[in-house]
Amino acid sequence: PQPKSAKRPLPRERDGSNVSVKMAAAELSAVYRAMQKSAARFSNYNVREYFKRRVREEFEKNANLVGEEAAAALAKAKKDLAVIDRQVQVYSLYGSELRSVLEITKKP
């Protein structure tokens, strides 16, 4: 078995190039970062951490997908990004102003 730090070779197109794979990886990375940033905008600690954890788990679960399955997972991630953005807006309007115990800091 290969050590975990060893990189797997990128799949190649029929002509031997992996340009589209690099573009897809860049797009996937951008969607992941955007989802994490959107999740971090929730004011409530519990909701924020829940969404950050769910995003991370979904991307880890779909890490080994290829082809049409990967494209479908990317499309779903983009839809989920829009949902998270909408939920951030709704939660900012109707969410509680109380902070979690984990967020409260001691005042000197």
Side-chain angles (χ1 to χ4, degrees):
Q2 292 180 344
K4 289 187 178 183
S5 62
K7 288 190 172 185
R8 290 179 280 176
L10 291 173
R12 297 188 177 271
E13 296 283 326
R14 288 185 180 168
D15 64 354
S17 69
N18 57 10
V19 173
S20 64
V21 172
K22 288 181 182 178
M23 287 174 41
E27 184 179 13
L28 185 65
S29 178
V31 170
Y32 178 77
R33 283 192 313 270
M35 290 180 84
Q36 286 290 345
K37 285 180 182 180
S38 291
R41 292 191 344 227
F42 281 101
S43 60
N44 184 288
Y45 174 83
N46 293 322
V47 176
R48 180 174 58 243
E49 293 303 315
Y50 169 77
F51 275 102
K52 287 168 58 175
R53 184 179 70 247
R54 285 299 308 260
V55 167
R56 184 180 64 248
E57 288 173 353
E58 282 297 313
F59 273 83
E60 287 173 355
K61 181 180 84 172
N62 296 327
N64 296 322
L65 296 180
V66 292
E68 293 298 320
E69 292 176 337
L74 181 59
K76 182 180 181 305
K78 288 179 180 179
K79 288 181 183 178
D80 290 344
L81 174 59
V83 170
I84 291 173
D85 285 334
R86 284 194 305 271
Q87 289 301 316
V88 167
Q89 293 297 322
V90 170
Y91 204 86
S92 69
L93 296 173
Y94 301 108
S96 174
E97 295 297 322
L98 297 175
R99 296 177 70 190
S100 170
V101 173
L102 298 172
E103 294 179 307
I104 297 174
T105 58
K106 294 181 180 179
K107 294 183 180 179

